[in-house]
C-alpha cells in the first residue's frame, strides 16, 4: 500500500490540523487520541512516512525504530502509567481495523483494560 500524504496524521505532522502534543523529538510525535478508550490513550508515531508496522519494520532505519520504542516507554513513564501497567497496540491492515494509514502505536492505560481482544467472529 502506497503512503497517502493526505492521511490525518500526515496533516497533523505538517501542522495543518491541531492535536494535543504529548511528546516530540527528532523522529517521533505523540498526541492524545481524539476518542480515548481509556483514561490514558496516546498515539505515538514516527515523523517518517510509514503506512503501518509492516512498512515500518521493513523500511525504517534502526534509528527511527529505536526512537519510536524508546519514546513510547518514556512517555508511558512520564504520564504515570508505567507502575500499574499499560497496553501497547499496533493495528495493521483491514483485519485489525486500522483506520489511519500512518504508523502509530496506541498507549492505553489508567484503568484495568480487560481481555486483549474481542472474542468474536
Ligand atoms: P487505528 O484504528 O489504529 O488506525 O487508530 C486510529 C486512532 O486515531 C483512533 O483511536 C482515533 O480515535 C484516532 N484519531 C483519529 N483522528 C484523530 C485526530 N485528529 N487526533 C487524534 N486522534 C485521532
Amino acid at each position: 500500500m502506497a503512503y497517502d500524504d493526505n492521511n490525518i496524521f500526515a496533516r497533523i505532522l505538517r501542522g495543518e490540523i491541531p492535536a494535543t502534543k504529548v511528546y516530540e523529538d527528532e523522529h517521533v510525535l505523540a498526541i492524545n487520541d481524539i476518542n480515548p478508550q481509556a483514561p490514558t490513550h496516546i498515539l505515538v508515531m514516527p515523523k517518517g512516512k510509514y503506512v503501518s508496522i509492516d512498512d515500518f519494520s521493513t523500511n525504517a532505519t534502526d534509528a527511527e525504530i529505536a526512537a519510536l520504542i524508546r519514546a513510547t516507554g518514556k512517555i508511558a513513564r512520564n504520564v504515570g502509567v508505567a507502575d500499574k501497567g499499560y497496553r501497547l497496540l499496533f493495528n495493521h491492515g483491514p483485519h485489525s481495523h486500522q483506520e489511519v494509514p500512518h504508523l502509530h502505536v496506541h498507549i492505553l492505560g489508567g484503568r484495568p483494560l480487560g481481555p486483549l481482544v474481542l472474542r468474536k467472529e
Side-chain angles (χ1 to χ4, degrees), residues 64-101:
E64 289 175 308
I65 292 170
L68 187 84
I69 298 299
R70 288 209 189 274
T72 300
K74 188 186 289 183
I75 292 161
R77 281 192 300 279
N78 286 350
V79 301
V81 295
D83 284 348
K84 291 213 167 154
Y86 56 88
R87 179 170 293 153
L88 300 181
L89 180 68
F90 289 92
N91 285 320
H92 161 64
H95 273 189
S96 76
H97 259 271
Q98 182 181 0
E99 287 172 14
V100 181

Side-chain angles (χ1 to χ4, degrees), residues 9 31-35 43 91 97-100 104 106:
F9 294 166
I31 61 172
N32 279 327
D33 196 293
I34 205 168
N35 182 23
L43 305 171
N91 285 320
H97 259 271
Q98 182 181 0
E99 287 172 14
V100 181
H104 50 282
H106 298 249

Side-chain angles (χ1 to χ4, degrees), residues 13 20 25 37 44 47 51 53 75:
L13 283 160
T20 307
D25 67 26
Q37 303 299 307
V44 190
K47 290 184 172 176
V51 175
I53 189 64
I75 292 161

